[in-house]
Amino acid sequence: MTSLAPAPRRRRFRWISIPLKIVGGFILLSLLMVAIYRFLPPPVTLTMLFDPNGITKDWKSLDEIDPNMARAAIAAEDGKFCAHHGFDVDAIARAAIHNASGGRIRGGSTISQQTAKNVFLWQGGGFVRKGLEAWFTVLIEAMWGKPRIMEVYLNVAETGIGTYGVQAGAIRYFRHGAGKLTRAEAARIAAVLPLPKKRAAVAPSGFTRRYGNSIARRIGVVQRDGLDQCLK
């Protein structure tokens, strides 16, 4: 005669198995999504869906985007993009110290982290979102590689009000595609990226103009020192 496990034990097992199934399902789903987007463009993101200004975008492969744009992104957002494995610990620590002292909030996220957030998650902070961002960052670093990460980043980043990707941004601001960006134009788009709803790449003034000029100068450093070598 087969004995049945006591009811309390079965209930405990059920309460354990349900969270395990949820976590396992999430892991499988996230792996599948990252694998698909390794080859196919993400059709839409949560940021786009919740944008009341609509969506203007036009996907371009990395080799169709002027190299100055990737260099400008590295110069502005992540100087160690080709050297790290998704996280720049030094930049995160410096940002935490700076923010604790007050003043303008500074971020320490890498391009990989921003891409993970933009494609798979929502905007805003919180420990849950940050934890998920770290998980997806590890996945895209392992499964995509640097060229694909940069390609996706340059296509999903918000470059203006209701405008996503550098192709749409280039047309919006300069009336030509991202394949013909000058160093100054690429720098201006990069200067807009942190606050795309409040900054404009055409006739920038004040901080945006100074920041764009600084990025333009650093583009030459990125090229000279081979900081974009992983994209070639």
Side-chain angles (χ1 to χ4, degrees):
M1 180 176 179
T2 304
S3 61
L4 298 176
R9 178 185 290 183
R10 291 201 301 270
R11 285 197 293 269
R12 285 198 299 271
F13 179 74
R14 187 180 302 115
W15 281 110
I16 294 173
S17 66
I18 291 175
L20 288 177
K21 288 178 180 179
I22 293 173
V23 171
F26 168 75
I27 292 174
L28 290 175
L29 179 61
S30 59
L31 287 170
L32 179 61
M33 292 174 64
V34 173
I36 290 173
Y37 291 160
R38 169 67 179 85
F39 303 101
L40 299 178
V44 71
T45 67
L46 288 176
T47 303
M48 296 176 188
L49 287 175
F50 288 106
D51 192 333
N53 302 294
I55 307 171
T56 300
K57 63 186 181 73
D58 186 5
W59 183 277
K60 291 293 180 182
S61 63
L62 189 60
D63 58 8
E64 294 178 300
I65 299 172
D66 192 283
N68 279 321
M69 190 63 245
R71 292 172 188 142
I74 290 173
E77 300 289 316
D78 188 359
K80 296 180 181 179
F81 175 70
C82 286
H84 63 64
H85 297 288
F87 307 93
D88 185 344
V89 177
D90 292 336
I92 293 172
R94 288 195 302 271
I97 294 171
H98 172 84
N99 295 339
S101 64
R104 186 191 297 271
I105 297 297
R106 178 185 299 171
S109 296
T110 63
I111 286 174
S112 300
Q113 289 175 269
Q114 293 178 52
T115 303
K117 176 187 68 176
N118 289 340
V119 173
F120 300 104
L121 303 170
W122 60 93
Q123 302 298 317
F127 290 111
V128 172
R129 208 272 296 162
K130 280 293 185 181
L132 292 173
E133 177 186 295
W135 165 249
F136 279 107
T137 298
V138 171
L139 291 186
I140 64 175
E141 281 279 342
M143 299 174 67
W144 288 5
K146 297 293 187 179
R148 179 60 174 177
I149 291 173
M150 179 61 75
E151 181 176 74
V152 175
Y153 174 73
L154 294 180
N155 277 283
V156 301
E158 191 176 3
T159 52
I161 298 175
T163 306
Y164 294 86
V166 297
Q167 171 69 7
I171 293 174
R172 174 189 179 112
Y173 296 122
F174 309 119
R175 300 293 187 263
H176 62 72
K180 298 180 179 180
L181 288 170
T182 66
R183 184 175 294 186
E185 290 170 342
R188 288 183 180 181
I189 291 178
V192 166
L193 290 176
L195 291 170
K197 288 183 171 63
K198 297 181 179 181
R199 298 177 182 175
V202 175
S205 60
F207 175 81
T208 305
R209 177 177 59 80
R210 294 192 301 273
Y211 187 36
N213 291 340
S214 174
I215 295 171
R217 290 191 295 270
R218 293 202 296 262
I219 287 175
V221 176
V222 172
Q223 184 174 12
R224 184 194 67 206
D225 293 351
L227 301 181
D228 60 339
Q229 188 64 37
C230 62
L231 302 178
K232 299 177 181 178

